[in-house]
Amino acid sequence: MRFLLLFSRQGKLRLQKWFTSMSDREKKKIIRDMTTMVLARQARSCNFLQWKDLKIIYKRYASLYFCLAVESQENELLALEIIHRYVELLDKYFGNVCELDIIFNFEKAYFILDEFLMGGEIQETSKQIVNRSIEASDMLQETLEEYMSKPAF
Amino acid sequence: MPAVSKGDGMRGLAVFISDIRNCKSKEAEVKRINKELANIRSKFKGDKALDGYSKKKYVCKLLFIFLLGHDIDFGHMEAVNLLSSNKYTEKQIGYLFISVLVNSNSDLIRLINNAIKNDLTSRNPTFMNLALHCIANVGSREMAEAFASEIPRILVAGDTMDSVKQSAALCLLRLNRTSPDLVPMGEWTARVVHLLNDQHLGVVTAATSLITTLAQKNPDDFKTSVSLAVARLSRIVTSASIDLQDYTYYFVAAPWLSVKLLRLLQSYPPPEDAALRSRLTECLETILNKAQEPPKSKKVQHSNAKNAVLFEAIALIIHHDSEPTLLVRACNQLGQFLQHRETNLRYLALESMCTLASSEFSHEAVKTHMETVINALKTERDVSVRQRAVDLLYAMCDRSNAKQIVAEMLSYLETADYSIREEIVLKVAILAEKYAVDYTWYVDTILNLIRIAGDYVSEEVWYRVIQIVINRDDVQGYAAKTVFEALQAPACHENLVKVGGYILGEFGNLIAGDSRSSPLVQFNLLHSKFHLCSVPTRALLLSAYIKFINLFPEVKATIQDVLRSDSQLRNADVELQQRAVEYLRLSCIASTDILATVLEEMPPFPERESSILAKLKKKKGPGKLPDMDDSRRSVNGSTEHSENTDTTNKGSTHSFTDVLNLNSTPSSGASLLIDVFSESSAPPAAIDVSEENFPRFVCKNNGVIYENQLLQIGLKSEYRQNLGRMYVFYGNKTSTQFLSFSSSSPPQLNVHPKAADPMIEGGAQMQQILNIECVSDFRDAPVLNIQFRYGGTLQNIAVKLPVMLNKFFQPTEMMSQDFFQRWKQLGAPQQEVQKIFKAKHPMDTEVTKAKILGFGVALLDGVDPNPANFVGAGVIHTKTTQVGCLLRLEPNMQAQMYRLTLRTSRDSVSQRLCELLSDQF
């Protein structure tokens, strides 16, 4: 995988994850290209696009577009399911996730993605395990906070 | 503002985000952000030490501002400080900030590396994972240097937690992609392969990704992974879906792992071990069978996951290209998908079939779906699906169906989306040329192209039709008649005017006998378009007019009047004015003989691959071409030719290019025109068979010897006596690296390749030098074997290198008397080889001379009593001996035949040279 972008129907970028290093200029250009290209698509078109030598896989969930770029030899259908799995994970964490959740808790959206993908490869496909580790980090943070806030004696 | 806030809430952050969302304008947003930045800056600079929570909150705000698209130039240090916090959330935000904002060459890397080192050795799996994620996200060289040897240890250590193993595997994969030289292979590699047997499917999935990438670079080191992968795959495919618990995705057993295993297997040829091979075939059959079973769920996720595995299995079947039954089953399966109600599946089926079409086993099977594909072209609502249909039609086209496919594409072109018109035009032009049996069909097709989609017909396309018409005299009359008729249309595209002007200027005389297309009618027709055309077209028309003056003396006065008019002689455009003035003068002062010489019919263009194909390939991917020539030649031919081959009638070509100077547009014209008239500076287009370009190099030393979608190989060579040096340029046309790149050649000739770099970056070019020594005379050219990994597959390419015996010629000048004396000495029957053959190219004296010189001998003037004959002499240098050589070429214009005679002191040499040279005319 090369990058994952989340943007709204109005073209507002909500999340960007880059799996290879790229200059800010390149990133901005790609974001612009992707939003215009994907937003121009008609409903019920196919979910795949060819862009330069990459495959673009996109899908709309409610008001958000999820747009994933993969190398040409990768499997499109499974890329589509990577997007779906991510949506499921967000859903599980936020409880019926909506665009606002991702705006206000953007850092959580990144953390969840990191539990699931790494360096552009899928890290853990089991939903239970990912959820467990996300919960564990929330827990850890609470415990640590409690632990640290105890007054020294 | 939503209340959602699990774990810790950062109220200040939520308020800030809310404020930004309430901003009515961009200005208001910028103002609010600047206020916040000033606030954060003062907090960071303040005397009071910030607590961890505040630091985290401010860093998070900065991150938010950055992600909105604003520049952030401070706060990095505070983020680095967060890394050494004991609090998980603070550490986590610190790492996130660094992953997003720190580019790989930041000064802070050293500090960050220290923090990572601490976390890696903490033995706290959560902290270790954060650190590994950060390395994978930043992926810089400094990080690779610091941790590339540590991570394999973590990966294979017995006591590492599963989740850390997964992170370590993928982190290592990332480092291997960015800095492969820093990731050492070692004893850990064998242990990594055994992770394929791990109990934890998450570990197996991550390890498979890593192994696939490593195996592409070092296939031998990871050979054992094949049997493990087959075994694992077999267990998954035959398992009941519940066995795999949470790794079952919508009733499909471990789809991600299955696809990765199938991908890993695509790095290798089919297994040689019979048992293993049949087990794999069984797996693939099971997957194909499952496609026919009723779905276990109506959810799209179920069918997607199931079909993802199916498509990957088909990709492996195509990659192996060895089991005809599987290939045919795959083709049938894709055929079903072609009519599926899911658009995605139709798209993928069309795409997959394109690769099947190029396999010899399945080309015919693919062709049976032609009607369905044509139907898709007509009925699909989605342009990207139609695009795939066009690609597939192009891929399945051959001589048997070319006319139908071209006709369908042409009719689709009338309504095609603007975004893909140019590509369709190129494809039609290529197919029409490639499969043209009769060239009238070709001319009709191209004129149709111009009529239907004139704006998308690039210069390459109309240049090409002119090249072909000029080179084939059997089609010239038809072409003249057809363009004449097409020009009758009240509104015709400017490209048609260009083609029409050029062709009538050359061959208008062929239809002038008919009173309906008399010279004056032709001229008036062309001139009626003149005022509607752009400057370059007008310039071309002026050249056509001066050619008319030569062809048809009866319209001379009319044309002179036109040239003399103020709108020409005083035209504001310098180029047009100059042409009008020069042509007018030329027509006034030159005698008919001189006019006839200057304005003679264009000589044939050197036969070469279509430049359109090159253009199509260029459109498809950013290819780079070797810089074959130091400087591009000036269009008007003022630069001397560095090579003496392929040159058409030197004197006249140049004067014609000058006269016809199509290149009056200063913009893009230059390179395109060179493309048409070029000798070898332009890239000849690609071919499929690596031997196909070989004959082109008999009389020249530079050019493109091989090209496919991934790779282009250019050559530049020089020879002195029995030694040669060849510069091979490998151009990676893709945007991804080629790995394990190697090239080798058998030692027939003492070819010494200097070692090539094992990797070629995407878009880059690599040069390799071959030193060549000719030991004794030889027949077979050395073959260059190239191997590399691109994506998941091993690419094998064999290219016959154009090293031929004649390359070791030294030309010998001699007088007539010497020549005949030696000719007599070499009179033994086996020393002479003679061949009579039909001309394959138009018989042109200057071209022939150029080819003989390019062959390497000296051309001896005034030796042969018949001035039409060519005589040459040279010496072949080998390490052991020198072989003197005389040749004589006698053209017979009437019969369109040649007789070639070679005499050398060695029969094998005579034989070989005769074969090589006789093929060139």
Side-chain angles (χ1 to χ4, degrees):
Chain A
M1 281 171 249
R2 294 290 184 86
F3 56 81
L4 172 69
L5 304 177
L6 266 65
F7 47 84
S8 70
R9 265 190 302 172
Q10 291 75 36
K12 282 251 184 200
L13 190 66
R14 297 302 181 203
L15 183 137
Q16 44 176 316
K17 183 77 183 178
W18 308 90
F19 298 112
T20 50
S21 35
M22 242 180 278
S23 71
D24 287 345
R25 257 183 79 142
E26 284 173 289
K27 288 179 185 171
K28 282 193 174 138
K29 172 146 192 344
I30 290 177
I31 293 168
R32 212 171 39 238
D33 284 3
M34 288 304 123
T35 46
T36 42
M37 203 167 75
V38 170
L39 291 175
R41 301 274 294 166
Q42 288 181 343
R44 284 199 303 283
S45 298
C46 85
N47 297 98
F48 317 128
L49 289 169
Q50 187 75 37
W51 182 75
K52 302 198 174 160
D53 59 344
L54 296 180
K55 288 174 177 168
I56 308 299
I57 288 92
Y58 73 95
K59 186 156 181 178
R60 186 176 146 188
Y61 286 87
S63 59
L64 269 188
Y65 282 91
F66 289 68
C67 170
L68 183 63
V70 301
E71 281 90 3
S72 62
Q73 73 274 12
E74 282 195 50
N75 196 304
E76 290 100 334
L77 288 172
L78 219 44
L80 210 48
E81 294 317 299
I82 286 177
I83 293 176
H84 186 74
R85 187 29 78 84
Y86 182 44
V87 174
E88 285 183 346
L89 292 170
L90 291 171
D91 227 32
K92 174 90 181 147
Y93 183 82
F94 290 107
N96 223 344
V97 65
C98 68
E99 192 181 341
L100 279 183
D101 291 327
I102 294 173
I103 296 172
F104 279 94
N105 300 283
F106 71 96
E107 79 283 10
K108 294 286 182 208
Y110 279 98
F111 296 150
I112 294 170
L113 189 62
D114 272 353
E115 293 292 339
F116 174 47
L117 301 177
M118 180 171 181
E121 295 287 336
I122 193 147
Q123 181 177 4
E124 180 51 80
T125 64
S126 155
K127 191 156 74 170
Q128 285 169 14
I129 295 185
V130 177
N131 278 327
R132 228 179 289 141
S133 64
I134 296 168
E135 275 163 25
S137 26
D138 271 350
M139 182 79 114
L140 180 68
Q141 140 205 319
E142 277 152 20
T143 336
L144 270 175
E145 238 150 64
E146 193 197 10
Y147 172 79
M148 296 300 288
S149 60
K150 280 199 178 133
F153 66 98
Chain B
M1 180 177 41
V4 169
S5 219
K6 271 191 162 183
D8 66 325
M10 285 180 277
R11 206 182 139 64
L13 176 67
V15 170
F16 174 59
I17 294 176
S18 213
D19 280 2
I20 296 286
R21 285 177 54 76
N22 290 334
C23 286
K24 294 275 181 294
S25 65
K26 193 81 196 161
E27 290 75 38
E29 183 185 307
V30 172
K31 209 172 147 200
R32 178 67 184 88
I33 284 171
N34 285 337
K35 185 179 153 205
E36 192 63 37
L37 286 175
N39 172 42
I40 299 172
R41 203 178 260 123
S42 75
K43 291 283 197 262
F44 282 168
K45 277 194 182 151
D47 304 328
K48 219 176 94 210
L50 287 175
D51 60 11
Y53 171 80
S54 312
K55 225 185 267 174
K56 175 180 84 171
K57 183 179 72 186
Y58 293 131
V59 166
C60 211
K61 279 183 180 177
L62 287 178
L63 186 56
F64 180 79
I65 293 170
F66 177 78
L67 290 170
L68 274 181
H70 301 268
D71 288 336
I72 295 294
D73 54 5
F74 69 101
H76 300 71
M77 203 44 162
E78 284 73 12
V80 173
N81 285 338
L82 285 177
L83 297 184
S84 34
S85 162
N86 291 326
K87 289 196 182 178
Y88 178 69
T89 44
E90 288 169 16
K91 198 188 272 289
Q92 200 181 18
I93 294 283
Y95 271 125
L96 178 61
F97 183 93
I98 284 165
S99 302
V100 175
L101 258 108
V102 173
N103 49 29
S104 47
N105 46 14
S106 160
D107 310 334
L108 293 170
I109 287 284
R110 239 167 276 264
L111 288 171
I112 298 168
N113 279 357
N114 260 336
I116 291 175
K117 191 161 277 167
N118 286 336
D119 282 336
L120 279 185
T121 48
S122 72
R123 307 188 64 79
N124 174 336
T126 323
F127 287 2
M128 288 171 88
N129 277 339
L130 280 180
L132 289 168
H133 263 286
C134 182
I135 300 172
N137 277 324
V138 178
S140 72
R141 246 193 116 68
E142 286 91 338
M143 282 195 181
E145 274 164 7
F147 303 110
S149 51
E150 177 64 21
I151 296 169
R153 258 200 298 267
I154 297 175
L155 176 58
V156 297
D159 57 348
T160 305
M161 300 268 292
D162 287 335
S163 70
V164 178
K165 270 189 200 164
Q166 284 164 271
S167 303
L170 295 179
C171 184
L172 198 55
L173 168 56
R174 173 72 206 274
L175 293 186
N176 188 274
R177 281 195 183 136
T178 45
S179 320
D181 52 314
L182 293 179
V183 178
M185 293 294 127
E187 49 94 32
W188 61 274
T189 45
R191 299 173 66 180
V192 164
V193 173
H194 283 278
L195 288 178
L196 288 176
N197 277 333
D198 201 281
Q199 301 231 305
H200 189 289
L201 283 194
V203 173
V204 183
T205 310
T208 311
S209 299
L210 174 64
I211 293 167
T212 304
T213 305
L214 294 176
Q216 279 160 11
K217 294 182 189 174
N218 319 285
D220 290 342
D221 293 352
F222 293 89
K223 257 191 192 139
T224 47
S225 65
V226 173
S227 58
L228 294 177
V230 172
R232 192 92 220 190
L233 181 68
S234 160
R235 265 180 285 161
I236 296 172
V237 169
T238 54
S239 71
S241 53
I242 38 161
D243 293 356
L244 301 169
Q245 292 154 358
D246 204 35
Y247 289 91
T248 300
Y249 181 82
Y250 290 87
F251 303 103
V252 180
W256 276 283
L257 180 53
S258 306
V259 165
K260 282 189 186 299
L261 291 169
L262 288 163
R263 166 73 40 74
L264 169 59
L265 292 171
Q266 286 172 61
S267 314
Y268 289 93
E272 279 163 21
D273 176 66
L276 192 60
R277 194 171 169 149
S278 77
R279 196 165 180 197
L280 177 57
T281 307
E282 239 168 72
C283 286
L284 295 171
E285 276 169 350
T286 312
I287 294 171
L288 284 167
N289 291 340
K290 279 188 179 170
Q292 302 301 329
E293 288 169 12
K296 291 183 180 137
S297 154
K298 284 202 172 111
K299 287 233 162 78
V300 67
Q301 283 76 29
H302 171 68
S303 72
N304 279 351
K306 188 169 146 185
N307 291 326
V309 177
L310 177 62
F311 273 105
E312 205 61 50
I314 291 177
L316 179 62
I317 292 169
I318 297 174
H319 168 77
H320 283 171
D321 201 14
S322 62
E323 301 270 356
T325 33
L326 286 177
L327 280 162
V328 170
R329 280 194 71 182
C331 188
N332 292 340
Q333 182 61 55
L334 294 177
Q336 282 184 23
F337 283 150
L338 282 183
Q339 316 213 37
H340 201 279
R341 61 185 169 78
E342 277 268 338
T343 316
N344 286 345
L345 290 180
R346 296 198 301 275
Y347 176 97
L348 294 176
L350 290 165
E351 184 185 65
S352 226
M353 267 205 181
C354 269
T355 37
L356 267 183
S358 51
S359 160
E360 277 178 46
F361 287 119
S362 45
H363 182 78
E364 288 303 318
V366 170
K367 272 168 64 185
T368 60
H369 298 286
M370 185 171 76
E371 292 304 329
T372 317
V373 181
I374 287 172
N375 198 39
L377 193 60
K378 289 175 177 161
T379 56
E380 283 291 350
R381 290 175 31 186
D382 182 346
V383 53
S384 43
V385 183
R386 292 197 295 271
Q387 168 80 63
R388 289 283 161 263
V390 171
D391 288 349
L392 179 54
L393 283 178
Y394 180 75
M396 67 164 73
C397 190
D398 60 22
R399 211 168 281 286
S400 72
N401 55 18
K403 282 206 173 164
Q404 190 185 356
I405 284 180
V406 165
E408 292 293 348
M409 283 189 171
L410 271 175
S411 78
Y412 172 57
L413 192 55
E414 309 222 24
T415 53
D417 314 76
Y418 297 110
S419 55
I420 60 175
R421 282 195 182 186
E422 189 184 356
E423 199 181 316
I424 297 177
V425 166
L426 290 173
K427 286 186 163 151
V428 169
I430 290 166
L431 294 177
E433 182 185 337
K434 198 167 167 192
Y435 299 117
V437 185
D438 84 79
Y439 277 83
T440 58
W441 174 70
Y442 170 76
V443 170
D444 285 342
T445 304
I446 301 296
L447 290 182
N448 265 330
L449 269 186
I450 295 176
R451 185 178 55 76
I452 296 169
D455 286 344
Y456 298 89
V457 171
S458 58
E459 281 165 315
E460 284 89 345
V461 173
W462 75 260
Y463 285 178
R464 188 69 186 156
V465 70
I466 285 174
Q467 286 180 4
I468 286 177
V469 169
I470 286 183
N471 286 14
R472 317 199 122 255
D473 43 18
D474 51 334
V475 77
Q476 287 160 357
Y478 180 81
K481 182 164 159 287
T482 317
V483 292
F484 177 78
E485 278 161 9
L487 283 169
Q488 308 280 342
C492 51
H493 195 272
E494 189 164 336
N495 277 335
L496 180 66
V497 179
K498 290 178 185 163
V499 176
Y502 203 113
I503 287 182
L504 293 179
E506 294 294 323
F507 308 114
N509 55 328
L510 299 177
I511 56 168
D514 189 328
S515 62
R516 284 165 301 177
S517 51
S518 70
L520 192 61
V521 175
Q522 285 187 39
F523 171 73
N524 285 337
L525 181 60
L526 281 180
H527 198 53
S528 69
K529 316 282 180 195
F530 188 90
H531 302 281
L532 305 169
C533 291
S534 63
V535 169
T537 308
R538 290 189 197 189
L540 184 148
L541 285 177
L542 288 178
S543 299
Y545 297 169
I546 186 73
K547 289 220 148 195
F548 268 26
I549 290 185
N550 174 45
L551 289 180
F552 315 119
E554 62 265 43
V555 293
K556 182 172 176 178
T558 318
I559 291 175
Q560 281 177 331
D561 283 346
V562 168
L563 293 175
R564 205 176 282 126
S565 71
D566 276 358
S567 62
Q568 307 296 355
L569 279 190
R570 296 183 185 200
N571 195 296
D573 185 90
V574 180
E575 177 66 33
L576 293 181
Q577 193 187 83
Q578 186 178 356
R579 285 190 190 215
V581 171
E582 287 178 0
Y583 292 166
L584 183 60
R585 284 304 290 160
L586 181 67
S587 71
C588 294
I589 59 169
S591 70
T592 10
D593 282 355
I594 291 177
L595 266 186
T597 316
V598 175
L599 300 170
E600 195 187 341
E601 193 178 294
M602 283 293 280
F605 290 90
E607 280 297 331
R608 53 204 283 283
E609 289 289 338
S610 163
S611 54
I612 311 173
L613 201 53
K615 166 130 179 169
L616 182 68
K617 305 239 156 174
K618 219 154 80 188
K619 261 181 78 75
K620 284 282 180 184
K624 286 217 172 151
L625 302 158
D627 276 329
M628 220 57 82
D629 281 17
D630 309 349
S631 59
R632 299 211 109 182
R633 286 194 192 94
S634 129
V635 174
N636 292 343
S638 53
T639 316
E640 261 309 305
H641 294 273
S642 56
E643 299 132 42
N644 38 18
T645 85
D646 268 1
T647 323
T648 48
N649 193 333
K650 249 194 202 174
S652 64
T653 311
H654 293 162
S655 67
F656 274 118
T657 27
D658 222 347
V659 169
L660 275 176
N661 200 346
L662 292 163
N663 184 33
S664 51
T665 35
S667 57
S668 64
S671 59
L672 290 174
L673 190 67
I674 281 196
D675 207 4
V676 170
F677 292 113
S678 74
E679 294 75 20
S680 67
S681 66
I687 41 127
D688 300 318
V689 189
S690 53
E691 231 178 87
E692 211 169 304
N693 268 341
F694 183 84
R696 286 170 199 287
F697 285 78
V698 170
C699 294
K700 67 172 186 175
N701 288 331
N702 304 342
V704 172
I705 183 77
Y706 178 82
E707 179 165 20
N708 66 12
Q709 282 163 338
L710 308 176
L711 176 73
Q712 186 192 55
I713 305 175
L715 297 179
K716 201 170 169 177
S717 33
E718 48 200 30
Y719 293 90
R720 176 162 298 165
Q721 305 207 325
N722 70 322
L723 298 175
R725 173 169 290 182
M726 187 175 273
Y727 299 85
V728 187
F729 299 87
Y730 303 96
N732 180 347
K733 293 167 58 177
T734 70
S735 64
T736 20
Q737 294 169 343
F738 290 162
L739 303 166
S740 326
F741 193 94
S742 69
S743 65
S744 59
S745 54
Q748 291 163 305
L749 260 187
N750 277 356
V751 177
H752 301 290
K754 295 197 174 164
D757 208 327
M759 183 181 82
I760 309 182
E761 289 291 346
Q765 192 190 87
M766 188 186 66
Q767 179 190 329
Q768 188 183 26
I769 301 176
L770 305 180
N771 286 321
I772 300 160
E773 185 182 11
C774 178
V775 181
S776 63
D777 72 283
F778 65 100
R779 289 187 60 82
D780 294 336
V783 174
L784 185 67
N785 289 305
I786 297 141
Q787 230 187 26
F788 61 91
R789 296 203 160 265
Y790 169 74
T793 43
L794 181 68
Q795 307 279 338
N796 266 311
I797 293 168
V799 179
K800 200 165 161 191
L801 281 180
V803 180
M804 310 91 170
L805 189 52
N806 66 297
K807 297 294 175 197
F808 304 94
F809 254 132
Q810 292 283 298
T812 319
E813 292 288 349
M814 58 179 77
M815 304 301 286
S816 167
Q817 205 182 345
D818 292 334
F819 181 86
F820 286 114
Q821 196 179 350
R822 290 185 202 200
W823 187 263
K824 206 172 156 191
Q825 283 166 1
L826 296 170
Q830 71 276 18
Q831 290 175 326
E832 182 189 277
V833 174
Q834 191 172 73
K835 194 170 171 185
I836 298 170
F837 54 92
K838 197 144 183 60
K840 281 186 292 186
H841 304 288
M843 297 176 78
D844 183 282
T845 313
E846 294 306 317
V847 176
T848 309
K849 276 186 186 167
K851 282 184 178 167
I852 293 176
L853 286 171
F855 193 61
V857 296
L859 250 183
L860 306 179
D861 273 330
V863 170
D864 200 288
N866 179 351
N869 293 344
F870 304 93
V871 169
V875 177
I876 299 260
H877 289 254
T878 73
K879 192 180 177 188
T880 45
T881 176
Q882 297 187 356
V883 183
C885 166
L886 304 174
L887 73 83
R888 182 183 195 208
L889 181 72
E890 301 157 87
N892 179 337
M893 297 300 253
Q894 251 151 11
Q896 291 284 304
M897 307 275 277
Y898 288 104
R899 182 166 74 180
L900 174 65
T901 315
L902 270 139
R903 285 191 180 189
T904 76
S905 49
R906 224 173 244 242
D907 48 353
S908 55
V909 174
S910 306
Q911 192 64 46
R912 181 66 184 142
L913 291 177
C914 183
E915 285 164 13
L916 285 169
L917 188 59
S918 62
D919 218 16
Q920 295 296 310
F921 298 100

